[in-house]
Amino acid sequence: MGSAVVQMVSVALGVVGLIGIVVCCAVPLWRVSAFTGSNIVTAEVIKHMYEGLWTTCVVQSTGQQQCKNFESLLDLGADRQAARALTIISGMLCCLSLLVLFCGSDFTTCVENEDVKPKISLVAGVGMLLAGILVIIPVSWFAHNTVRDFYTPLFSSSPRMELGACIFVGWAAGVLLIIAGGLLCCFSRPKQGSSGGKAKYYSNSASAPNKNYV
């Protein structure tokens, strides 16, 4: 498989992963309500609840929907604060890695030095690897806390929250970015036969003039 094909595949995976990060950051579907057990009265008043990184929304049985932003940063839990920071950093790092990959790829002419292009692709691959890890960490932490709270007896009287769609989108985005970064790191090697690392040697007999000494 040629390096240009690998780079194009990595770009496609990186773009899909970036879209997944944006969806996780913007859509409030990290936690959704799950009315189980004897919460019949609560289910008649509140039809659906869902939470995200920035807002929490409630859909009543009458069809009215109310959303409220998390106004105080200090009032948030540690998992939500970390998820905000790491998701934004992951998106920025993914954008930067895609730009670097475009500049140093074989199917563009931004960089003409063939010896530098593999190094640029390697930097982009490492950036995508880090972006994938940074988005998987908050999603997994959020999912762990959600599952833990779901099985806690203290929350039996209130609507329990279960995993939302953004959790699975975040996992998928992280895996795609890790695959893209791994491909770039594996196939970003200097080309054999490049003129940058060769040294030319000349024999003394060919370069020195012929002189006769008495």
Side-chain angles (χ1 to χ4, degrees):
M1 185 183 296
S3 59
V5 178
V6 173
Q7 290 169 357
M8 287 188 287
V9 172
S10 300
V11 168
L13 294 177
V15 170
V16 176
L18 179 60
I19 294 174
I21 294 175
V22 173
V23 170
C24 288
C25 189
V27 178
L29 287 177
W30 287 60
R31 289 176 182 170
V32 295
S33 59
F35 295 98
T36 58
S38 59
N39 295 325
I40 302 178
V41 178
T42 307
E44 291 179 354
V45 178
I46 301 176
K47 184 179 180 180
H48 190 61
M49 292 178 60
Y50 48 93
E51 297 179 358
L53 297 180
W54 313 95
T55 59
T56 177
C57 298
V58 175
V59 180
Q60 299 179 356
S61 58
T62 57
Q64 296 180 351
Q65 178 178 344
Q66 296 179 351
C67 294
K68 182 181 179 181
N69 296 328
F70 297 107
E71 298 177 355
S72 177
L73 180 63
L74 300 178
D75 198 20
L76 299 176
D79 56 347
R80 203 181 303 269
Q81 294 182 15
R84 284 183 176 185
L86 293 178
T87 304
I88 293 176
I89 294 174
S90 176
M92 295 174 62
L93 186 58
C94 184
C95 288
L96 183 60
S97 299
L98 287 174
L99 291 177
V100 171
L101 180 57
F102 270 115
C103 294
S105 59
D106 292 337
F107 55 87
T108 59
T109 58
C110 297
V111 178
E112 297 182 356
N113 192 343
E114 297 296 332
D115 296 333
V116 179
K117 282 186 175 183
K119 299 178 182 178
I120 297 177
S121 299
L122 181 61
V123 172
V126 174
M128 286 190 180
L129 282 174
L130 293 177
I133 295 174
L134 287 178
V135 74
I136 286 179
I137 290 176
V139 168
S140 302
W141 188 3
F142 217 88
H144 168 73
N145 291 344
T146 303
V147 174
R148 180 199 60 192
D149 295 341
F150 184 86
Y151 291 105
T152 301
L154 297 177
F155 295 92
S156 59
S157 59
S158 60
R160 295 185 178 182
M161 307 298 289
E162 60 182 1
L163 303 180
C166 287
I167 299 294
F168 304 99
V169 173
W171 278 330
V175 171
L176 291 179
L177 290 175
I178 290 177
I179 293 175
L183 288 176
L184 290 176
C185 291
C186 292
F187 288 90
S188 297
R189 297 177 181 177
K191 296 182 179 180
Q192 300 294 333
S194 59
S195 60
K198 285 187 175 181
K200 296 182 179 179
Y201 298 94
Y202 300 94
S203 60
N204 294 327
S205 62
S207 59
N210 294 327
K211 294 182 180 180
N212 295 323
Y213 297 95
V214 180

